[in-house]
Amino acid sequence: MNSQAGQTTLCMIRLDDQTYGIDMLAIREANQFTQTVRVPGAPPEVLGLVNLRGSLYLLLNLRRMLGLPDRKPGHEDLLIVFRPSQGESFGIVVDSLDDTRVLADRHITPHEADDGIITAIALDKGMSFPLLSPELMYRKAKALINGPQAGPATTNAILLENK
Amino acid sequence: MEDPAILAEFIAEAREHLSALMDGLLTLENLPEDQFQASINPLFRAMHSIKGSAGFLGLQHLEHLAHATETLLDAMRKGSVAPSPQVTDLLLKVADRLQARIEGLPESEKSGSPNDGELMDKLKACATGKAPPPPVVPAAQPTIPDPLPASSLPQIDPALLQEFVAEAREHLAALSEGLLALESDGKSQGTGGIDPLFRATHSVKGSAGFLGFRGLERLAHAMETLLDGLRKGTVAADRPVTDLLLRVTDRLRAAVDALPADTPAAHDDLIKKIQNVIISGRPDAPAQASPGAGTETQRAQPTLEQPPPAPEAQGADKSATIRVPVEVIDRLMNLASELVLARNQALETLVTPADARGRQLLQRINSVTTDLQQAVMLTRMQPVGTVFNRFPRMVRDLARSLGKRVHLSVTGSEVELDKSVLEKLVDPLNHLVRNACDHGLETPAERLAAGKTEVANLDLSARQEGGQILVRVADDGRGIDPGRVKAKALEKGLVGPQDLEGMTDSQAQSLILKPGFSTAEKVTDISGRGVGLDVVKTNLESIGGTLQIDSVPGHGTTFSLRLPLTLAIIPALVVRASGERVCIPQRDLLELISAANLRARPMSGRFVVELRGQPLETIHLGKVLGLENSGSPGFNRAGFLAVVRAGQRVVALAVDELNGSQEIVVKPLHPLLRGLGLHGGATVLADGLPAPILDIEGVVRAAGPALLAANHSHATAAPSRMEIPSQSAVVFEFGPAERFAVPLSLLKRVDRVLPGQVERIGDRRVARLDTGNLSMIFPDEAMPVGSPDTLPGELFLLTPREGVQGKALVATSILDTTMIPLALKSPPFEHPGILGSTQLGDRLTLVVHPGKLLASSQVEAGRP
């Protein structure tokens, strides 16, 4: 994972009454929730597009990916955007960002992903909680979009890249 | 050399040299004697640079090839070899190979190739005046196959060798003497002391190179570079450095003594040390560019450029430019767009300041923002010449291989386009130029027989016309024979006999754009496959461009391509479908109609609507986009139909609301969403919310296979500019200069007022009308426009539909009620009450929002 040898810094996020950890180094920024616009034709795991300071980001619906009850996000929620290495400019919406913890790697046990987004289980202060992987989130969204129910695979995108 | 940064810089510079070389070679053949020298010298220098730098970096294969080329060029400039098409062919082929090697770095250096050896032999044979090489047919992309066997020594005339050795020894003696003097006199020597040393080394290097003693040459070159660093002051003449210099001199002498035995890598050890010194100031430091290395020794830039013998400016035509990474430009674009967005929102939400200074400030921020955005857009603009410049070579090669003589003239290379459009121009132009050479132009014999000049003319031109770029490929060849085209089209089953009836010649010529068409007798490698022109046309249209053919049989053909200036900003129609806003690019839009009076029949989950007597397949856009929960949403009579073209299909998209036409900045589609096949990009609208841009073809495809047979009424009719969404407006005047328009939708009523109805109350004038009293606000009170010298007796009052009560805008004359576009251009100045501007006839017309205008008006001065 990250930082000093044998340790990982985690950001603890909360959804309803569930707590999850995400590698801090994967996170680029956290913002107050801004209005998103649905992407027509995309599966419900795609929450929509959001405009942050002129750049567009894609938001994924973390609740759906975790099987939690879905609800419409609002101003009290938090927007977390991941670094580009995790997948082109995307983010998620969480209820809140609680605290940051540094855990020794021996307290983190890798978890078999099998279509989910949980990459490990961590143990801290007698409590265990799942660690989520942004990369797995991205992959899952991709599979859902390109899956059987999706539209044709090609697109005449006007501008695919800025290059 | 391991350092990727240095390699990258070498590659960049070598590319420029090669490019200059190739350009120069093409013109060489046709030059008169007196211009020849002036032209060949830069070519020689360019090759010399490449060779030197390659040698310095240890890129042996590249260096050898460059060296052999340099030798030939040298012979040419000395006059011992005359230019000829065969020689130029050879040089061009070598240039290609050099390019391949350079582009393939660093892998390409790992192996030599028998082809290289063959080329070098040819070069040598040519340079030494032996029989010129047989005409070389331009090859396909040169590949770099198996390693070269150990190179053999060139055959050297003993007398020549003797002379060289003697001369070299003298130079080296002078060199070591000079170095010792340098060391003893210390730093105060200045450049005067180093110049002779440099020249001596340079001589040795040059002669060694000419005779093919690569090892000696490389070492001498490295020495030369080091000396150059010394005289420029980028390398300090301290003890270790002078030690090294002396060691090198010793080695040089030993190498000369050992001739004719010489191997390229013989002196790599010393060359490495020299490289170290140049980079880090110390012979034994690791060869890495370390910032702030050493205290006294300055960090020297490795000089990859060979200093040219004459101090003429190298490439004097280099304009003042700067290289900027694309990411930085993109970031600038984003920031500029953001600023425009913020400005738009500020104008909408901030109250217009009460004082003039505040208003002025706002106005200034406003105009600077607009200028900034436009300037940033310019950074993406590149001259079309970057696409055009490949054609002289292509045409030359094509013509030679086809046995034709073609003169290509290129004009308008300086015309600039957004790089996104430029990229799309390459394939169509490739195709058209090849087509012209292959099919359009006749052989010299045919031309003479037809009474034309033997040399055919092909003109490539670019011109800006309004908001578009016009690119033309024109030839004076055979032209397109309508009869022959019609026959072929019939034969291939592309049209039926009844379609040909009443077809004009021009329409017949356009048949060549049909898929599957080709009149080539045999399928040549170049362009006879019959799939070309329709692809060209479709690709052009996909970016909002058009292709037009004008041809006179027997005289020639002109293809005209029209392209928008940029793809980064496109006009689009914003609509709402099932509650969500999406953008439809205007280039796909044929027509926009209200659904109110249409008859719609349900069919297979869609509708068929009758439009002007013809059936039109209509799709519920919200449903196709997956926004509807119910399986069969009804036909919304309060909505609109956007008639679009998707490839060959013409369908109508049923939407609920129109949110106006806008020019939108296209942002790339998120990679994850590509798989949906529905979107072509995204944008941020004026309220700051994102909106997807639809990929119309994808959307129509998603709706399912076509319900109806091809819709002729839309498809074959010339795709004229689609009906521009427009609105009714009242056009009026106030002062002598400006012309105004008010959208009818914003106007409640227009009243005529006579002087007897006007009363003065303080500074104000009030009109007494049957409907009540209206405070008369004059346009020049509300915005910076002019006013008439004297007011006419009869005036007009325009009352807004909403907003301020009891006020009305004064006009001196009402001109017309007419249609103006929904999409307005930016006005000459920004003002809350001004929606935009448009062109009516030959007059610029300011379109105003009367409610906002009146709300912001201030009475600054009383009226007489």
Side-chain angles (χ1 to χ4, degrees), chain B residues 513-538:
Chain B
L513 297 174
K514 273 201 172 296
F517 192 95
S518 170
T519 54
E521 300 299 326
K522 56 185 188 324
V523 175
T524 63
D525 193 29
I526 295 173
S527 56
R529 282 188 301 277
V531 298
L533 283 177
D534 69 305
V535 174
V536 169
K537 179 161 180 279
T538 330

Side-chain angles (χ1 to χ4, degrees), chain B residues 805-817:
Chain B
Q805 296 298 325
K807 284 189 188 173
L809 192 65
V810 178
T812 52
S813 59
I814 302 285
L815 295 175
D816 201 358
T817 303

